Amino acid sequence: RDSRGSNMAAGASRRSPPGSDWRLVGTAEQLQKQRCRRLYAQAGRDKDVALFYVGERFYALEASCAHAGGPLDQGDIEELNGCYTVVCPLHFYEFDISTGKSESGLRQRRYDVKQENGNIYVKFDCELHLQRPERK
């Protein structure tokens, strides 16, 4: 946690795209109720984000598995020695929630997350929604 109240994983690669803005996705109180949820991107399903709440921190990864597009927001979350991974429900690839890295060499894009004044923000290049929006 830094002085601005950010709750970002340090040293992670493939961070939020340049030109991204902080997008309000909900209150911490509301979002803490689920360990993982899908955030629907206004730009389309291939841009959706999986938001995780584990170890009293929030993390965000691209929602579709880099291997075959499986829904990571529906994967199992495992913890070993304080490190959390999500397991893709299609082919069981595991990704570190804080970095997006997999021992297989695959990577998920990771997005910065911050908590400020009781709200959760994800740094992203379009609007994110808790409910599926009307999409083009």
Side-chain angles (χ1 to χ4, degrees), residues 3-70:
S3 61
R4 294 182 313 273
S6 292
N7 199 12
M8 295 184 283
S13 58
R14 294 187 66 184
R15 290 179 176 259
S16 302
S20 298
D21 292 319
W22 288 109
R23 309 294 179 169
L24 174 64
V25 294
T27 66
E29 180 181 13
Q30 172 189 24
L31 297 171
Q32 289 170 354
K33 293 177 182 176
Q34 281 182 248
R35 290 184 86 193
C36 184
R37 68 175 66 233
R38 189 176 202 100
L39 300 177
Y40 298 92
Q42 189 68 43
R45 183 171 180 79
D46 62 328
K47 291 234 180 197
D48 287 353
V49 172
L51 181 71
F52 300 91
Y53 180 69
V54 293
E56 298 184 24
R57 292 184 66 175
F58 288 95
Y59 301 91
L61 298 175
E62 59 189 325
S64 296
C65 178
H67 172 247

Side-chain angles (χ1 to χ4, degrees), residues 86-97:
V86 60
V87 180
C88 180
L90 292 187
H91 301 107
F92 309 106
Y93 282 86
E94 295 182 26
F95 296 91
D96 183 307
I97 289 173

Side-chain angles (χ1 to χ4, degrees), residues 79-109:
E79 184 265 335
L80 180 63
N81 299 324
C83 293
Y84 294 90
T85 60
V86 60
V87 180
C88 180
L90 292 187
H91 301 107
F92 309 106
Y93 282 86
E94 295 182 26
F95 296 91
D96 183 307
I97 289 173
S98 66
T99 66
K101 294 179 183 178
S102 172
E103 289 182 9
S104 69
L106 292 174
R107 288 185 158 196
Q108 291 296 118
R109 181 173 297 279

